[in-house]
Protein backbone atom coordinates (compact mmCIF):
# COMPACT_ATOMS: atom_id res chain seq x y z
CA UNK A 1 0.00 0.00 0.00
CA UNK A 2 1.31 3.44 -0.87
CA UNK A 3 1.96 5.71 2.08
CA UNK A 4 0.09 8.97 1.56
CA UNK A 5 3.11 10.87 2.86
CA UNK A 6 5.55 9.37 0.36
CA UNK A 7 4.18 10.92 -2.80
CA UNK A 8 7.05 11.46 -5.23
CA UNK A 9 7.46 14.66 -7.19
CA UNK A 10 5.38 17.77 -7.25
CA UNK A 11 2.20 19.04 -8.81
CA UNK A 12 3.71 20.05 -12.16
CA UNK A 13 1.78 18.54 -15.07
CA UNK A 14 2.34 19.00 -18.80
CA UNK A 15 -0.53 19.92 -21.15
CA UNK A 16 -0.08 16.60 -23.01
CA UNK A 17 -0.62 14.74 -19.71
CA UNK A 18 -4.17 16.07 -19.36
CA UNK A 19 -5.86 13.06 -21.07
CA UNK A 20 -4.16 10.72 -18.59
CA UNK A 21 -5.10 12.97 -15.67
CA UNK A 22 -8.72 13.04 -16.84
CA UNK A 23 -8.76 9.25 -17.22
CA UNK A 24 -7.36 8.69 -13.71
CA UNK A 25 -9.72 11.30 -12.27
CA UNK A 26 -12.67 9.40 -13.76
CA UNK A 27 -11.41 6.13 -12.25
CA UNK A 28 -10.97 7.79 -8.86
CA UNK A 29 -14.49 9.20 -8.97
CA UNK A 30 -15.86 5.80 -10.00
CA UNK A 31 -14.00 4.11 -7.15
CA UNK A 32 -15.32 6.61 -4.62
CA UNK A 33 -18.88 6.49 -5.95
CA UNK A 34 -19.15 2.70 -6.27
CA UNK A 35 -16.76 1.99 -3.38
CA UNK A 36 -15.20 -0.89 -5.33
CA UNK A 37 -11.59 -1.39 -6.54
CA UNK A 38 -10.61 -0.29 -10.07
CA UNK A 39 -7.62 -1.61 -12.05
CA UNK A 40 -5.42 0.59 -14.25
CA UNK A 41 -3.31 -0.24 -17.29
CA UNK A 42 0.46 -0.61 -16.90
CA UNK A 43 1.80 2.76 -15.77
CA UNK A 44 5.28 4.19 -16.22
CA UNK A 45 7.04 6.05 -13.41
CA UNK A 46 5.75 9.46 -14.44
CA UNK A 47 2.17 8.18 -14.61
CA UNK A 48 2.56 6.63 -11.17
CA UNK A 49 3.69 10.01 -9.86
CA UNK A 50 0.65 11.72 -11.35
CA UNK A 51 -1.71 9.09 -9.94
CA UNK A 52 -0.09 9.36 -6.50
CA UNK A 53 -0.73 13.10 -6.51
CA UNK A 54 -4.36 12.62 -7.54
CA UNK A 55 -5.07 9.85 -5.01
CA UNK A 56 -3.55 11.97 -2.26
CA UNK A 57 -6.59 14.28 -2.54
CA UNK A 58 -8.93 11.47 -1.40
CA UNK A 59 -8.91 10.60 2.30
CA UNK A 60 -10.59 7.22 1.86
CA UNK A 61 -8.80 5.90 -1.26
CA UNK A 62 -5.42 4.25 -1.76
CA UNK A 63 -3.48 2.95 -4.74
CA UNK A 64 -1.63 -0.38 -4.68
CA UNK A 65 0.96 -1.28 -7.33
CA UNK A 66 2.30 -4.51 -8.79
CA UNK A 67 4.16 -5.27 -12.00
CA UNK A 68 4.90 -8.97 -11.62
CA UNK A 69 7.83 -8.58 -9.23
CA UNK A 70 9.13 -6.26 -6.54
CA UNK A 71 10.67 -3.03 -7.87
CA UNK A 72 9.14 -3.42 -11.33
CA UNK A 73 9.31 -0.15 -13.24
CA UNK A 74 6.04 -0.51 -15.13
CA UNK A 75 3.17 -1.56 -12.85
CA UNK A 76 -0.59 -1.84 -12.75
CA UNK A 77 -2.41 0.08 -10.07
CA UNK A 78 -5.46 -0.92 -8.08
CA UNK A 79 -7.30 2.14 -6.82
CA UNK A 80 -9.39 1.00 -3.89
CA UNK A 81 -11.11 1.98 -0.65
CA UNK A 82 -8.95 1.59 2.45
CA UNK A 83 -10.57 -1.74 3.41
CA UNK A 84 -9.26 -3.56 0.32
CA UNK A 85 -6.10 -5.71 0.44
CA UNK A 86 -5.18 -6.88 -3.08
CA UNK A 87 -3.76 -10.28 -4.02
CA UNK A 88 -1.36 -10.84 -6.93
CA UNK A 89 -4.14 -12.40 -9.03
CA UNK A 90 -6.16 -9.19 -8.78
CA UNK A 91 -3.67 -7.41 -11.04
CA UNK A 92 -4.48 -9.63 -14.07
CA UNK A 93 -0.82 -10.06 -15.12
CA UNK A 94 0.81 -12.95 -16.98
CA UNK A 95 4.55 -13.52 -17.30
CA UNK A 96 6.13 -15.04 -20.41
CA UNK A 97 9.62 -16.32 -21.09
CA UNK A 98 10.92 -16.09 -24.65
CA UNK A 99 12.46 -19.24 -26.10
CA UNK A 100 14.72 -18.47 -29.06
CA UNK A 101 17.73 -20.03 -30.87
CA UNK A 102 20.36 -18.79 -28.40
CA UNK A 103 23.29 -20.16 -30.43
CA UNK A 104 22.34 -18.03 -33.43
CA UNK A 105 20.41 -15.11 -31.98
CA UNK A 106 21.19 -12.23 -29.67
CA UNK A 107 17.96 -10.56 -28.60
CA UNK A 108 17.82 -7.05 -27.21
CA UNK A 109 15.17 -4.95 -25.50
CA UNK A 110 14.32 -2.84 -28.54
CA UNK A 111 13.63 -5.91 -30.71
CA UNK A 112 11.24 -7.37 -28.15
CA UNK A 113 9.48 -4.05 -27.58
CA UNK A 114 9.10 -3.57 -31.33
CA UNK A 115 7.71 -7.07 -31.85
CA UNK A 116 5.11 -6.64 -29.11
CA UNK A 117 3.91 -3.25 -30.32
CA UNK A 118 4.12 -4.43 -33.95
CA UNK A 119 1.77 -7.27 -33.05
CA UNK A 120 -0.91 -4.75 -32.17
CA UNK A 121 -0.36 -4.71 -28.40
CA UNK A 122 -0.62 -1.19 -26.98
CA UNK A 123 2.30 -0.14 -24.78
CA UNK A 124 0.06 0.27 -21.75
CA UNK A 125 -1.00 -3.39 -22.06
CA UNK A 126 2.40 -4.86 -21.20
CA UNK A 127 4.94 -4.16 -18.49
CA UNK A 128 8.66 -4.62 -17.97
CA UNK A 129 10.88 -6.56 -20.35
CA UNK A 130 13.67 -8.11 -18.27
CA UNK A 131 16.78 -10.22 -18.85
CA UNK A 132 19.43 -11.99 -16.82
CA UNK A 133 21.87 -11.41 -19.68
CA UNK A 134 20.79 -14.46 -21.66
CA UNK A 135 17.12 -15.24 -21.06
CA UNK A 136 14.22 -12.81 -21.50
CA UNK A 137 10.83 -12.42 -19.85
CA UNK A 138 8.00 -9.88 -20.14
CA UNK A 139 4.69 -9.11 -18.45
CA UNK A 140 1.32 -8.55 -20.10
CA UNK A 141 -2.40 -8.40 -19.33
CA UNK A 142 -3.55 -11.92 -18.47
CA UNK A 143 -6.71 -11.21 -20.45
CA UNK A 144 -4.52 -10.86 -23.57
CA UNK A 145 -2.60 -14.12 -23.09
CA UNK A 146 -4.26 -16.00 -25.96
CA UNK A 147 -3.74 -13.08 -28.32
CA UNK A 148 -0.07 -12.69 -27.36
CA UNK A 149 0.66 -16.40 -27.84
CA UNK A 150 -1.03 -16.36 -31.24
CA UNK A 151 0.53 -13.14 -32.56
CA UNK A 152 4.12 -13.14 -31.29
CA UNK A 153 5.89 -15.82 -33.33
CA UNK A 154 8.99 -13.86 -34.37
CA UNK A 155 11.26 -11.28 -32.76
CA UNK A 156 13.41 -9.57 -35.31
CA UNK A 157 14.35 -12.25 -37.87
CA UNK A 158 14.19 -15.06 -35.32
CA UNK A 159 11.35 -17.49 -34.66
CA UNK A 160 10.43 -17.60 -30.97
CA UNK A 161 8.17 -19.55 -28.66
CA UNK A 162 6.49 -17.96 -25.64
CA UNK A 163 6.28 -20.01 -22.43
CA UNK A 164 3.92 -18.91 -19.67
CA UNK A 165 5.72 -18.82 -16.31
CA UNK A 166 4.71 -18.38 -12.68
CA UNK A 167 6.04 -15.35 -10.83
CA UNK A 168 8.21 -17.63 -8.68
CA UNK A 169 10.15 -18.50 -11.86
CA UNK A 170 11.26 -14.89 -12.31
CA UNK A 171 14.71 -14.26 -13.74
CA UNK A 172 17.17 -12.25 -11.68
CA UNK A 173 17.11 -9.04 -13.74
CA UNK A 174 20.48 -7.76 -14.88
CA UNK A 175 20.80 -4.06 -14.11
CA UNK A 176 23.10 -2.31 -16.58
CA UNK A 177 22.25 1.18 -15.39
CA UNK A 178 24.32 3.54 -13.27
CA UNK A 179 23.33 6.25 -10.80
CA UNK A 180 24.95 9.62 -11.41
CA UNK A 181 24.79 13.11 -9.98
CA UNK A 182 24.97 15.87 -12.58
CA UNK A 183 24.93 19.67 -12.50
CA UNK A 184 23.00 21.45 -15.25
CA UNK A 185 22.43 25.10 -16.07
CA UNK A 186 18.75 24.51 -16.73
CA UNK A 187 16.13 21.75 -16.74
CA UNK A 188 15.73 21.94 -20.52
CA UNK A 189 15.55 18.63 -22.38
CA UNK A 190 18.55 19.34 -24.63
CA UNK A 191 20.69 20.57 -21.72
CA UNK A 192 20.22 17.35 -19.75
CA UNK A 193 20.89 15.11 -22.77
CA UNK A 194 24.03 17.08 -23.63
CA UNK A 195 25.34 16.82 -20.06
CA UNK A 196 24.69 13.12 -19.55
CA UNK A 197 26.05 11.98 -22.92
CA UNK A 198 28.80 14.61 -23.17
CA UNK A 199 27.39 16.23 -26.30
CA UNK A 200 27.24 19.81 -27.45
CA UNK A 201 23.91 21.61 -26.95
CA UNK A 202 23.58 21.83 -30.73
CA UNK A 203 24.00 18.06 -31.14
CA UNK A 204 21.50 17.36 -28.37
CA UNK A 205 19.01 19.80 -29.90
CA UNK A 206 19.41 18.12 -33.30
CA UNK A 207 18.50 14.74 -31.76
CA UNK A 208 15.34 16.28 -30.32
CA UNK A 209 14.47 18.15 -33.54
CA UNK A 210 14.77 14.94 -35.57
CA UNK A 211 12.35 13.01 -33.32
CA UNK A 212 15.00 10.81 -31.73
CA UNK A 213 14.10 11.72 -28.15
CA UNK A 214 11.13 10.60 -26.05
CA UNK A 215 9.88 11.87 -22.72
CA UNK A 216 8.02 9.10 -20.92
CA UNK A 217 7.81 7.04 -24.13
CA UNK A 218 6.25 9.83 -26.20
CA UNK A 219 8.29 11.57 -28.91
CA UNK A 220 9.08 15.15 -27.97
CA UNK A 221 10.51 17.57 -30.56
CA UNK A 222 10.70 20.60 -28.28
CA UNK A 223 14.31 20.98 -27.07
CA UNK A 224 13.26 23.56 -24.49
CA UNK A 225 10.77 21.21 -22.81
CA UNK A 226 10.97 21.26 -19.03
CA UNK A 227 12.13 18.00 -17.43
CA UNK A 228 11.01 17.06 -13.94
CA UNK A 229 11.25 14.32 -11.29
CA UNK A 230 10.42 10.74 -12.44
CA UNK A 231 10.63 11.69 -16.12
CA UNK A 232 12.29 9.07 -18.32
CA UNK A 233 14.17 10.33 -21.37
CA UNK A 234 14.88 7.85 -24.17
CA UNK A 235 17.55 8.95 -26.67
CA UNK A 236 17.81 6.77 -29.77
CA UNK A 237 21.34 5.44 -30.21
CA UNK A 238 22.47 6.61 -26.76
CA UNK A 239 20.25 5.10 -24.08
CA UNK A 240 17.89 6.19 -21.35
CA UNK A 241 17.93 8.74 -18.53
CA UNK A 242 15.59 8.65 -15.54
CA UNK A 243 15.32 11.75 -13.35
CA UNK A 244 15.23 10.36 -9.81
CA UNK A 245 15.59 13.60 -7.88
CA UNK A 246 16.21 17.33 -8.20
CA UNK A 247 18.34 18.06 -5.17
CA UNK A 248 18.45 21.84 -5.26
CA UNK A 249 21.11 24.25 -6.52
CA UNK A 250 24.90 24.23 -6.38
CA UNK A 251 27.05 27.17 -5.24
CA UNK A 252 27.27 28.37 -8.83
CA UNK A 253 23.46 28.17 -9.11
CA UNK A 254 23.26 25.04 -11.26
CA UNK A 255 20.56 22.42 -10.71
CA UNK A 256 21.82 19.25 -9.03
CA UNK A 257 20.11 16.18 -10.46
CA UNK A 258 20.31 12.57 -9.32
CA UNK A 259 19.77 10.45 -12.43
CA UNK A 260 19.80 6.81 -13.46
CA UNK A 261 21.48 6.24 -16.82
CA UNK A 262 21.54 3.36 -19.28
CA UNK A 263 24.13 3.86 -22.00
CA UNK A 264 23.97 1.73 -25.14
Amino acid sequence: MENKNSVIGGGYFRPEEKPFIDKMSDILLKTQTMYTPQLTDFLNLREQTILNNLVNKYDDLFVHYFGGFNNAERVRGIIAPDYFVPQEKDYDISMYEIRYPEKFANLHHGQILGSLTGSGIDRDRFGDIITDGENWQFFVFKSMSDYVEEQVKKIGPFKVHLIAKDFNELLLPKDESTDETINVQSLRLDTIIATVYNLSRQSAKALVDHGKVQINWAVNKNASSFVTITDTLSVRGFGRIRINDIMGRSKNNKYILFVNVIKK
Side-chain angles (χ1 to χ4, degrees), residues 170-235:
L170 179 79
L171 298 174
L172 183 61
K174 182 179 181 181
D175 187 358
E176 296 181 334
S177 66
T178 59
D179 291 328
E180 301 178 16
T181 300
I182 62 172
N183 291 358
V184 290
Q185 197 69 49
S186 76
L187 297 176
R188 282 174 53 116
L189 179 59
D190 56 354
T191 299
I192 292 172
I193 291 170
T195 302
V196 170
Y197 293 115
N198 196 27
L199 303 172
S200 67
R201 270 279 299 278
Q202 290 80 4
S203 295
K205 185 177 185 302
L207 288 169
V208 179
D209 292 343
H210 288 90
K212 295 184 177 181
V213 175
Q214 298 179 340
I215 297 181
N216 301 321
W217 295 274
V219 173
N220 187 300
K221 293 187 176 182
N222 182 4
S224 63
S225 292
F226 179 77
V227 174
T228 189
I229 296 173
T230 69
D231 276 343
T232 298
L233 317 180
S234 303
V235 187

Side-chain angles (χ1 to χ4, degrees), residues 40-54:
T40 74
D41 296 335
F42 279 100
L43 308 179
N44 62 43
L45 290 171
R46 176 61 182 167
E47 290 167 337
Q48 294 166 46
T49 298
I50 293 172
L51 179 54
N52 288 342
N53 276 277
L54 295 174

Side-chain angles (χ1 to χ4, degrees), residues 3 13 34 46 60 75 99 113 137 147 150 167 257:
N3 187 322
F13 302 128
M34 300 178 64
R46 176 61 182 167
D60 55 344
V75 297
R99 295 287 171 83
L113 177 62
Q137 294 175 338
Y147 179 85
E150 180 181 326
F167 293 143
L257 304 186

Side-chain angles (χ1 to χ4, degrees), residues 91-123:
Y91 292 90
D92 187 46
I93 297 174
S94 288
M95 182 177 82
Y96 282 97
E97 187 161 310
I98 303 169
R99 295 287 171 83
Y100 66 101
E102 298 173 13
K103 291 183 178 180
F104 309 103
N106 184 20
L107 296 187
H108 57 77
H109 186 280
Q111 281 180 317
I112 300 168
L113 177 62
S115 292
L116 291 172
T117 55
S119 298
I121 306 169
D122 292 339
R123 187 64 185 98

Side-chain angles (χ1 to χ4, degrees), residues 141-168:
F141 282 14
K142 182 173 290 186
S143 57
M144 295 190 67
S145 294
D146 290 343
Y147 179 85
V148 170
E149 292 176 18
E150 180 181 326
Q151 294 295 319
V152 182
K153 302 291 187 181
K154 291 182 69 176
I155 294 178
F158 307 109
K159 291 184 179 180
V160 300
H161 185 55
L162 303 183
I163 307 294
K165 293 283 186 176
D166 294 329
F167 293 143
N168 59 12

